[in-house]
Amino acid sequence: MFMQNLLRLFFVFLLLQSSLVSAQNLVHNPSFENFTTCPEELDNVKKNVGDWNKANEGTSDYFNTCGSKMGVPNNFNGNQTAVFGTAYAGAYFLAPNNYREYIQGNLIRTLEKGKRYGISFYISLSEKSNYAISNIGVLFSSEEINVKSTKVIKKPNGKVDSGKYNYTEIKTNGFYKDKSEWTEVYTEITALGTENYVTIGNFNDNRNTRTLKTKGIKNASYYYIDMVTVLPIENTSYENLKEDRIYAFKKVHFSSDDYGLNGVSKSDLKSLYNHLQKNPEMYISIHAHTDTDGVDLYNKKLSNKRAKAVANYLVALGLKENRIKWFGHGETKPIVANKSTSSKQKNRRAEFILSKRKFVSTGTTKYAETVFEE
């Protein structure tokens, strides 16, 4: 009885977490938790998942812990737990003869013309995939896409398709090759005011797709997909900040083993920069952290890169270099236990401290003890 009650509490917690994450999300059923029947066969997205469909004749898939062949974490293409809840989708983003699969979701409401939106989702390359790719496309459309083919869906033609489609491509200098962890993918668009559906996949043919060979048995790139989010980008306000206190950046987050700043992070830093410009007597120190994946020395260097990236961007905006210092603390200051993907994400963070006292050049890196001149 105790275990049953504990499990009930656990699932309630998951539902609450899902509700919080998707409170302002414009995507229906973003982490594929709502379903009609347990998945037991391929090509089941339209059949098993509410508010999701495929965009062509490819056999896009749905996975859930209640399934067997289409289960979580074990399924026909590998082994992967879900980022959120108990389910995720899957699709071939690259396969021989330009075969493609896509997932397509409908939005809660039409996007507002001229407004900026941030789009994010998590992907993980399946264990059996022998290739990773570097570009992933996101296509917004006014109507549901239903291409009668298993081949690549062509990118929209700007002149012919004006007003019907809004396409963006997410590119990385490397490759989306992680098979053990999830990678958060992010991009932004300016809405045309006609967008009702979002489709994710690879809109390049095989010849124009950058690939990296990995250790897999299938001559293809199959990606698991979880937690699709479309959110309006709002200006963050940093007001009424007090001196000598630690503040976590509101929207500066880092992917695993990464120190890059995405569009939402930069927008957040611009808001803080505006606050600093209004208060020229303030000095700021940046403190960055990692999760516990990797060795201590590597994590120390990674946190330094994260802190430096934040500092460099504030300087690039116009902040004087003598007003800012940065420090990396590696994995030494977690705010939660590093037991899950979501908890590790919380520990991959950046924080800041404001003060009216000038910095002293001491080289100290003690957390929350940034040295200032009296």
Side-chain angles (χ1 to χ4, degrees), residues 351-369:
E351 298 164 328
F352 65 92
I353 303 172
L354 298 178
S355 180
K356 292 182 180 179
R357 295 172 288 172
K358 293 182 180 180
F359 293 107
V360 174
S361 181
T362 64
T364 181
T365 57
K366 289 185 178 181
Y367 179 69
E369 293 179 4

Side-chain angles (χ1 to χ4, degrees), residues 43 91 128 173 175 186 331:
D43 192 18
K128 293 185 180 180
N173 292 328
F175 295 86
Y186 178 84
E331 61 187 63

Side-chain angles (χ1 to χ4, degrees), residues 136-233:
I136 296 175
V138 179
L139 176 62
F140 287 88
S141 58
S142 57
E143 298 179 355
E144 190 173 30
I145 298 172
N146 186 15
V147 176
K148 300 300 182 180
S149 168
T150 60
K151 303 295 184 180
V152 177
I153 296 177
K154 294 182 179 179
K155 300 176 185 178
N157 183 310
K159 294 181 180 179
V160 176
D161 300 320
S162 179
K164 296 181 181 179
Y165 302 102
N166 194 342
Y167 176 77
T168 183
E169 196 161 276
I170 309 169
K171 302 179 181 180
T172 176
N173 292 328
F175 295 86
Y176 297 110
K177 62 182 180 179
D178 201 328
K179 295 184 178 183
S180 59
E181 295 288 342
W182 291 87
T183 299
E184 184 179 14
V185 179
Y186 178 84
T187 189
E188 295 179 7
I189 63 163
T190 299
L192 301 174
T194 60
E195 298 89 344
N196 293 307
Y197 295 87
V198 58
T199 301
I200 299 170
N202 179 12
F203 295 82
N204 295 301
D205 60 24
N206 289 3
R207 179 179 295 181
N208 292 304
T209 300
R210 290 181 63 233
T211 61
L212 175 71
K213 203 164 187 178
T214 63
K215 295 179 180 180
I217 62 174
K218 289 189 175 182
N219 191 30
S221 299
Y222 189 92
Y223 285 91
Y224 301 122
I225 307 153
D226 201 356
M227 187 48 77
V228 183
T229 302
V230 176
L231 287 170
I233 298 175

Side-chain angles (χ1 to χ4, degrees), residues 23-39:
Q24 296 178 309
N25 192 357
L26 298 181
V27 177
H28 284 287
N29 197 13
S31 61
F32 312 98
E33 299 306 306
N34 299 328
F35 62 99
T36 54
T37 57
C38 288

